């Protein structure tokens, strides 16, 4: 049926097709600032407890295993025999000087120390008691994936390796294999030297680069020149 009264303000251009799903309750006033392009997906509600600071990078396996960068580890274990038990003091230099991390009497098969640091410059062991401590002192540079013995700088015995080491307050006269740290001495242990060596020692330059590049190349040069140029390219 036609309306009794015509529309006071008809549209200049009527729609070609009627609205398929009109609103049950149309708005009395049009939106003053409609969006130029509607979003394809609805906006989800915000998180109730957002993080105070966004993460710098996505979480990966490396960050999960070692979030604080402490990947240089020390493992000190007492030998399995009853005679291996004894007193032992341990100091670690992780870059700020030596700090005592373990002391006292340690039973056989006990773990004296098992911790990781961002860096390990050296370890110092000592025993002033007459009964010697026997065990192993190992180093890991890859967050406990593998271990190698330290090297004792001032030990006696059949080896400098701390894979087997005796630390005693008196003279060590037994035929124990490994390193001997006797007479109450403070023995200095260094991390395995080979872990710090380049895979190809011949690749080391005899002199530092006089004028290094500001930004390194993303890929190495496939065919380097035999002699460097006098001026940069």
């Amino acid at each position: 049926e036609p309306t009794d009264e015509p529309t006071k303000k008809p549209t200049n251009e009527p729609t070609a097709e009627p609205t398929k799903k009109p609103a049950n309750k149309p708005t009395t006033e049009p939106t003053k600032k409609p969006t130029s392009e509607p979003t394809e997906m609805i906006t989800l509600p915000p998180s109730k407890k957002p993080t105070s600071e966004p993460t710098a990078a996505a979480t990966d396996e490396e960050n999960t295993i070692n979030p604080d960068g402490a990947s240089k580890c020390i493992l000190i274990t007492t030998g399995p025999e009853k005679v291996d038990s004894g007193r032992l003091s341990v100091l670690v230099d992780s870059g700020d000087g030596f700090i005592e991390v373990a002391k006292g009497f340690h039973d056989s098969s006990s773990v004296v120390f098992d911790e990781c640091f961002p860096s390990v410059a050296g370890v110092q062991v000592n025993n002033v008691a007459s009964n010697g401590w026997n065990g192993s002192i190992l180093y890991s540079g890859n967050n406990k994936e593998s271990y190698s013995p330290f090297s004792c700088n001032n030990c006696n015995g059949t080896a400098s390796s701390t894979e087997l080491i005796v630390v005693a307050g008196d003279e060590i006269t037994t035929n124990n294999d490994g390193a001997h740290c006797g007479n109450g001495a403070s023995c200095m242990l260094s991390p395995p030297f080979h872990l710090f060596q380049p895979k190809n020692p011949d690749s080391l330059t005899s002199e530092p680069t006089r004028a290094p590049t500001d930004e390194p190349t993303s890929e190495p040069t496939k065919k380097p020149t035999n002699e460097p140029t006098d001026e940069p390219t």
Side-chain angles (χ1 to χ4, degrees), residues 24 34 38 52 56-58 74 78-79 82-83 101 117 123 139 166 171 185 221 232:
N24 295 325
S52 56
I74 302 170
T78 309
K82 185 176 181 179
V83 295
V101 296
F117 303 87
V123 174
Y139 172 85
V166 183
E171 184 179 359
T221 304

Side-chain angles (χ1 to χ4, degrees), residues 161-195:
S161 167
T162 60
E163 185 173 7
L164 293 173
I165 182 173
V166 183
V167 186
D170 53 6
E171 184 179 359
I172 300 173
T173 57
T174 59
N175 294 324
N176 298 64
D177 293 332
H180 293 177
C181 179
N183 297 317
S186 293
C187 293
M188 305 296 296
L189 314 181
S190 299
F193 182 69
H194 71 275
L195 296 180

